[in-house]
Amino acid sequence: MVAKKIIVYFLILLLTAFPASAGDVSINRWVLNVTMHDDGIIEEVIQIEIRNDGSLPLDGFSFVIPASGVTMIYDFDHTSSFTGQVVTQETIPGGVRITLEFNRSIDVGGKWNGRVGFKVDKWAIKEGEDYSIDIPVGVPQSIISGKSSQMAVPGDADLRAQFFLPEGVEVTSVTPKPFRILFQNNIIVPTWSPDKLAFGDTISIKASVSDVLKKIVETDEKINDLSTRIDEAKKQGLDVSNAEIYLDNANNYNNNQGLGEFWKKDNSLALEYVGYANDELNKAEEVLSNAGKNQVEETAGTSGNEKSPGFAAPLLLLALIVSVLTRKKS
């Protein structure tokens, strides 16, 4: 009997924390895109879809950022919606409550889609070359007739997150475990899918500047720059086939083998491959430079072989004299 009471009490707690009634406002999509800048300032965009399955129009919603100094960003890529909205901020214990009131309420059975973007100071902690941040993933509050209540979370809610670290910064620890840690545009990006993230979790990230990663990134930028120059030389008709071979070798050493060893935490071998990549880049630079010089020399040689009117005149005069002498003899 006691066990049954405990189970019932536990179920009541769950329903209170995460109501799942079909008659509630539900959060269907909550996708976090968080960028940490070199100075520790955070820029975040949240992609949101809310469905109103209640009995009254939905007037807006709110959520809390556990930091101070929140600055909204108003442009299409950051904060936007089809209904329009008024955004207000309120400082509360533990952070800032951001409230979005719709210009036009969402009727029963309707949905709201939009994005909310902002910058936050003094959220991430930067100490020398080390960074850390905690991001609570809380359930947003719906606002109906001036009253707030926690939204329902459907079982198929699209809850995802991406965290973009500064260039040359690597993850030293992260919870919960990401679905994958990507490397996009020379930036490390921990990524969470719905099966790896739940409302109520707190994403905790610690990161630090990596000299090895910085060298890999710097070498990749050289590879991209040289690739552009080789493409331009090809358009000019230069033979850059050998330069392309060296460039491909450099890309393989740096972005395949060097980066691969970096992921394995073998920094010494990673740096060795980065060194090989730079050697190949130097060879490609030399070949590309010589290709340009050869074109200049060939152009100069072609100009020197052209017939000059000044040189042809004596030949014509000599031919005329021979012709006259021949006629006299005849």
Side-chain angles (χ1 to χ4, degrees):
M1 186 69 178
V2 175
K4 288 183 178 179
K5 288 183 177 179
I6 292 174
I7 292 172
V8 170
Y9 180 69
F10 181 70
L11 289 174
I12 291 172
L13 285 177
L14 285 177
L15 290 172
T16 302
F18 299 103
S21 170
D24 290 328
V25 174
S26 57
I27 180 68
N28 289 358
R29 179 180 299 119
W30 192 261
V31 179
L32 307 175
N33 296 277
V34 186
T35 300
M36 177 188 285
H37 296 284
D38 291 330
D39 55 7
I41 290 178
I42 296 297
E43 184 175 338
E44 181 172 354
V45 177
I46 309 176
Q47 300 175 44
I48 306 166
E49 181 181 284
I50 299 171
R51 180 177 175 84
N52 182 14
D53 287 324
S55 57
L56 295 171
L58 174 66
D59 301 322
F61 67 95
S62 67
F63 58 95
V64 176
I65 300 297
S68 60
V70 177
T71 302
M72 300 301 299
I73 304 175
Y74 296 99
D75 60 45
F76 185 77
D77 291 330
H78 291 82
T79 299
S80 66
S81 75
F82 294 108
T83 62
Q85 57 202 1
V86 177
V87 183
T88 59
Q89 297 183 33
E90 177 189 4
T91 300
I92 61 173
V96 174
R97 183 187 303 279
I98 297 176
T99 300
L100 290 88
E101 296 182 14
F102 306 137
N103 291 346
R104 185 177 69 253
S105 296
I106 307 303
D107 293 330
V108 175
K111 291 182 181 180
W112 180 86
N113 290 279
R115 292 186 294 274
V116 181
F118 46 87
K119 285 186 178 181
V120 186
D121 192 11
K122 298 179 182 178
W123 186 0
I125 298 172
K126 182 182 181 183
E127 296 178 342
E129 295 187 335
D130 298 326
Y131 300 83
S132 63
I133 187 172
D134 292 329
I135 306 172
V137 185
V139 180
Q141 300 272 317
S142 61
I143 302 173
I144 297 176
S145 300
K147 296 182 180 180
S148 297
S149 61
Q150 190 165 266
M151 295 184 189
V153 181
D156 59 350
D158 183 13
L159 175 60
R160 291 174 285 135
Q162 282 191 310
F163 191 94
F164 297 83
L165 289 164
E167 191 173 280
V169 175
E170 66 172 325
V171 173
T172 55
S173 70
V174 56
T175 57
K177 184 179 179 181
F179 165 70
R180 189 173 295 168
I181 297 181
L182 305 174
F183 190 64
Q184 298 177 339
N185 299 320
N186 289 329
I187 291 175
I188 288 182
V189 188
T191 302
W192 290 265
S193 53
D195 60 323
K196 297 294 184 180
L197 190 63
F199 282 107
D201 288 345
T202 295
I203 297 173
S204 295
I205 298 174
K206 295 185 185 298
S208 184
V209 174
S210 167
D211 291 335
V212 175
L213 183 59
K214 287 178 71 175
K215 290 183 183 299
I216 291 173
V217 170
E218 289 170 1
T219 302
D220 185 61
E221 289 173 349
K222 292 179 185 177
I223 290 170
N224 292 333
D225 178 67
L226 188 57
S227 177
T228 300
R229 290 168 52 201
I230 287 175
D231 288 341
E232 291 173 352
K234 287 176 70 175
K235 292 177 182 177
Q236 297 172 11
L238 297 181
D239 180 6
V240 292
S241 55
N242 287 335
E244 288 179 308
I245 292 172
Y246 291 129
L247 182 68
D248 287 342
N249 292 342
N251 185 66
N252 179 54
Y253 281 134
N254 189 73
N255 296 324
N256 292 332
Q257 300 186 67
L259 187 60
E261 296 304 326
F262 169 79
W263 288 124
K264 296 175 186 177
K265 304 299 182 183
D266 192 338
N267 288 339
S268 59
L269 189 53
L271 286 175
E272 187 174 337
Y273 281 120
V274 172
Y276 295 153
N278 279 283
D279 288 342
E280 294 297 300
L281 285 175
N282 290 335
K283 294 174 184 176
E285 287 273 7
E286 184 178 357
V287 170
L288 186 60
S289 177
N290 288 335
K293 290 178 181 177
N294 291 339
Q295 185 191 43
V296 172
E297 291 173 358
E298 289 173 4
T299 302
T302 301
S303 299
N305 290 331
E306 291 177 355
K307 293 182 179 181
S308 169
F311 179 72
L315 291 177
L316 290 172
L317 180 60
L318 180 60
L320 181 59
I321 294 171
V322 170
S323 176
V324 171
L325 292 175
T326 304
R327 287 177 182 177
K328 288 182 178 181
K329 288 181 180 180
S330 303

